[in-house]
Structure formats: structure tokens, C-alpha cells
Amino acid sequence: MAKELILLDEWLSMFGMRARIALAEKEIEYEYREEDLDNKSQMLLQMNPIHKKIPVLIHNGKPIAESIIIVEYIDEVWKDKAPFLPSDPYQKAQARFWADFVNKKIGDVGGRIWAGKREEIEVAKKELVENLKELEKVLGEKAYFGGDTFGFVDIALIPFHSWFYTYETLGDFKVEIECPKLIAWAKRCNQRESVAKSVAHENEVYDFVLQYRKKLHLD
């Protein structure tokens, strides 16, 4: 299977972490190839010529790009393991909606914190907290976003927990104070082997961001 399945990825990428978690949940063997995003491989450029970004899952020579699409592809192809998406059409649509919300309201806003100028951080921080509170409402008292089962929205969101420390340090706030149920959920997710072995450590992320910001003179 490793020869048939290749993941082009970058270890600190929250989007790449999604693909790794999904593959681990389904217990799928694959070949991992770390990309240097400052010197992208020919394979990456050939397999994702439109966006030229990671992650890219290559299955039997055919590329699948965009992390949420990759997670859904894995779910559809490897059906012998527990599904990520619910079977009910409405619940499935809701899961897709909230995964898209994570991309736009957590990913994009978080990017304005870690890669933004100092004066942009305060505004982005407030937006991020508001958006996390919306997700906490959706989570409610459930163990996972889908109920008792770890699934699609959990996979979409949990990689960002590795970046929370960086957001908090740059923005001078604490997610746990604002969204305690969300942090309890994150701790639950991180106890899963599939998550624990697939996500970057918060200190690795922070060190990378410090170097990035120093390089671009953002502070």
C-alpha cells in the first residue's frame, strides 16, 4: 500500500495534519514525503499544478489535493473502518458546513495572527475567539462534534490546537479561559493515538513562527 499511496506534506501544517489523522484513523499504510515549501519538489508541482500546496495524497498515481477533500476521499475509499461523515444527508451537510467554517473562520483568521503585523493581531484575536465560541456552541455537551464518535469536524479542527499556543502568545490571551469546553474536547482528541502521532508539538509551531516573523520583520 505504501507504494500505491503517497502523502506530500509538511510536518507543521495543520492541513497536512488532517490528512495524517484521517489515514491513521483508518489504519492505512502510506509513504510520507516531507516537502520543503521554500524549494518545492517537482512531484508536488506536477501533482498540484493549480495551487502548488501541500497536502497532496497520491493514490495509484492520481493526486487528490485540499485537505478536507482528502479526508472525505479517504473516508469514501476505505469504507471498512468507521466513517468520518454521518450517513444522514442533513447531518452530513452540517458536518461539511462546520468543516468549511473551520477553514475560513479559524484557519484564515489564525493566519492573520501568526503571520500578521502587530497592529493586525488584536483585531484577528477578537475574531478568532468569537469564532471558537461558535464552535463551542456546536460542540455543546457532546464528547465530539458528531456525538460519541470522533469524526469529520473533529479531524478538521483538532490540528489547529497545535497552533493555539502560538495564537495565545502573540495575542496575549488564553483559549481555555474563553472556551473551556473546547479545550476539554481538544485534550480528549489528543488522547487518541491517531491524533497524538499525527500532530506537531506546540513548541515546534511556535519556534517556526518566531523565525518566520523575524525573517519578515513583522514584530
Side-chain angles (χ1 to χ4, degrees), residues 133-156:
K133 285 182 177 180
E134 287 298 324
L135 286 167
E136 191 172 59
K137 289 178 190 175
V138 176
L139 177 65
E141 301 300 326
K142 302 188 296 292
Y144 300 106
F145 280 90
D148 294 328
T149 306
F150 181 82
F152 196 66
V153 180
D154 304 294
I155 294 172

Side-chain angles (χ1 to χ4, degrees), residues 108-130:
D108 291 355
V109 177
R112 284 163 45 206
I113 296 177
W114 73 263
K117 294 181 180 178
R118 180 55 56 182
E119 59 269 22
E120 298 173 307
I121 292 176
E122 191 66 25
V123 174
K125 173 185 78 174
K126 290 178 182 177
E127 284 185 43
L128 182 70
V129 169
E130 287 174 6

Side-chain angles (χ1 to χ4, degrees), residues 62-184:
K62 297 177 180 178
I64 303 95
E66 298 298 305
S67 62
I68 286 295
I69 295 172
I70 289 172
V71 173
E72 196 159 354
Y73 179 85
I74 291 167
D75 199 30
E76 290 179 356
V77 173
W78 286 274
K79 294 182 178 180
D80 55 325
K81 302 290 184 180
F84 302 146
L85 280 161
S87 58
D88 177 78
Y90 178 76
Q91 291 179 357
K92 186 180 292 185
Q94 289 299 301
R96 287 172 172 151
F97 174 87
W98 288 109
D100 185 63
F101 180 93
V102 171
N103 277 353
K104 294 173 180 174
K105 299 296 187 178
I106 305 302
D108 291 355
V109 177
R112 284 163 45 206
I113 296 177
W114 73 263
K117 294 181 180 178
R118 180 55 56 182
E119 59 269 22
E120 298 173 307
I121 292 176
E122 191 66 25
V123 174
K125 173 185 78 174
K126 290 178 182 177
E127 284 185 43
L128 182 70
V129 169
E130 287 174 6
N131 296 335
L132 289 172
K133 285 182 177 180
E134 287 298 324
L135 286 167
E136 191 172 59
K137 289 178 190 175
V138 176
L139 177 65
E141 301 300 326
K142 302 188 296 292
Y144 300 106
F145 280 90
D148 294 328
T149 306
F150 181 82
F152 196 66
V153 180
D154 304 294
I155 294 172
L157 180 59
I158 190 57
F160 287 92
H161 182 251
S162 296
W163 287 71
F164 280 7
Y165 174 72
T166 296
Y167 301 156
E168 292 171 333
T169 304
L170 292 173
D172 191 25
F173 71 107
K174 280 286 185 184
V175 175
E176 189 163 19
I177 293 174
E178 304 288 350
C179 304
K181 290 180 182 177
L182 205 60
I183 294 301

Side-chain angles (χ1 to χ4, degrees), residues 25-40:
E25 276 288 321
K26 297 276 189 175
E27 299 179 328
I28 302 166
E29 292 184 11
Y30 65 98
E31 180 182 342
Y32 178 88
R33 295 194 187 181
E34 179 80 4
E35 283 285 335
D36 177 357
L37 299 183
D38 291 325
N39 184 24
K40 297 172 184 177

